[in-house]
Amino acid sequence: KSVSAKMLSGQIGYLEVRQFGDDTVELVKASVADFNQKQPRALIIDLRNNPGGYLDAVAPIAGQFIAPNIVVKERDRDGRTDVIRSVEVPLLPKMPLYVLINGGSASAAEILAGALQDYKRATLVGQRTFGKGSVQDIIPLKNGAARRLTIAEWLTPMNRQINKKGIDPDVAVEGVKTAESDPVLAKAIELASR
């Protein structure tokens, strides 16, 4: 499964999204509906080491937390910009959100984190994301080879570049998750418990 959810002590919901795959939107929606029933004091969304995946999963997930709006912009080489919007009515529009990120959070994970940060809907905790914000096309060549060509870049709703820059956390926390400790999660729990 690409998603797991549980309640942490102190009545805080925890939603880990490992990648954006075929099952992710439905699993997130089911988890959010469950959290809506339980009414935790805050929700932590863990996007650490999430390499991305299907871009079309991002808008419906963002739509669980923000009113219908632009989630990401795609700008091509000629400067033309297309937008991808959320259209969902958010189930948890006001619940405090804390999003965990690190250098392994890439692509679709960065788009989700950047949109929630742009709309001041979530506090990002952890380390700067990977910085994979380009759209690529595969051009077949002779002998079965291919060339990957960058054709566009993704921007956050407030026009921040993701590619090669990443998304910076609001609260920087060093350290990695081990069997004994998880300083990033511990900081998010501390913030959510205030």
Side-chain angles (χ1 to χ4, degrees), residues 7-13 38-43:
M7 291 295 292
L8 302 176
S9 60
Q11 286 299 302
I12 296 166
K38 293 176 179 169
Q39 285 297 303
R41 64 188 298 161
L43 179 60

Side-chain angles (χ1 to χ4, degrees), residues 84-117:
I84 298 172
R85 297 176 174 273
S86 64
V87 295
E88 311 272 331
V89 175
L91 204 52
L92 301 176
K94 302 246 190 261
M95 183 172 290
L97 286 183
Y98 298 88
V99 176
L100 311 185
I101 56 171
N102 68 4
S105 307
S107 192
E110 295 176 277
I111 290 169
L112 178 60
L116 294 173
Q117 187 181 48

